[in-house]
Amino acid sequence: MAVSGTDLGHLRRCVELAHEAYEKGEEPFGSVLATADGTKLAEDHNRTSGGDETRHPEFELARWAAANMTPQDRAGATVYTSGEHCPMCSAAHGWVGLGRIVYVVSAAQLTGWRDGWGAPSAPVRPLPIEEVAPLVTVEGPIPEFEDAMKALHRRQFDRVAGVTGS
Ligand SMILES: [Zn+2]
């Protein structure tokens, strides 16, 4: 399945949400949940600054879907996200039976950038979504938004590292 103009619109919103998260002091990740016909149902961004490192938007959207959508509608839905699901979020997505995922940057890309900047290793391995939730259709990376997300993650890295001027 190719990426459509509707897909790109939702991905653009994910990048905006990641920026909003950054501006609020959160890690820059944003996600959108849309129906099979492309209508946005819900959106969220990372909310881990309070100390709960499980407050990822993809996890929140999976739980929202479980509470508010029929199994059939979940199966036809798409989750768009600025960064590939972590294993926790891939598992949540798989358990609630959501459909396709489209991400801007892969976990491998982000890990590679952060390693290059000298960031500490994450406590969870950056497994591809397919290794955790093999029934999910996955698309990405999306080159149109990669540079914007790399720049934003660099700003986040500099902020955490205490570099001034970021
Ligand atoms: Zn996650």
Side-chain angles (χ1 to χ4, degrees):
M1 200 182 306
V3 175
S4 70
T6 300
D7 293 332
L8 291 175
H10 288 313
L11 290 165
R12 185 171 291 112
R13 179 61 186 151
C14 292
V15 174
E16 286 177 4
L17 286 162
H19 274 95
E20 287 178 22
Y22 176 84
E23 296 301 334
K24 293 176 183 173
E26 303 288 354
E27 294 178 18
F29 297 94
S31 309
V32 166
L33 170 65
T35 61
D37 70 2
T39 303
K40 184 172 75 178
L41 292 175
E43 63 180 27
D44 203 4
H45 61 63
N46 203 284
R47 300 181 188 277
T48 55
S49 69
D52 182 350
E53 293 292 337
T54 71
R55 296 288 302 278
H56 297 183
E58 302 94 334
F59 196 12
E60 300 287 342
L61 291 179
R63 301 187 78 186
W64 187 94
N68 294 287
M69 299 173 75
T70 65
Q72 185 178 359
D73 287 346
R74 294 199 293 268
T78 298
V79 171
Y80 301 89
T81 191
S82 64
E84 184 178 6
H85 288 43
C86 75
M88 171 184 74
C89 296
S90 296
H93 188 102
W95 280 123
V96 306
L98 278 163
R100 175 173 171 249
I101 291 173
V102 188
Y103 63 76
V104 175
V105 300
S106 70
Q109 280 177 301
L110 179 57
T111 300
W113 296 337
R114 289 177 50 79
D115 286 350
W117 299 333
S121 296
V124 175
R125 291 179 67 189
L127 299 177
I129 294 164
E130 296 93 325
E131 287 196 24
V132 179
L135 303 182
V136 177
T137 298
V138 181
E139 300 194 50
I142 307 298
E144 285 90 330
F145 303 111
E146 277 180 32
D147 289 348
M149 286 311 306
K150 185 176 184 180
L152 188 56
H153 281 294
R154 177 69 208 205
R155 288 172 67 194
Q156 171 68 11
F157 169 77
D158 287 344
R159 179 165 70 180
V160 171
V163 176
T164 56
S166 294

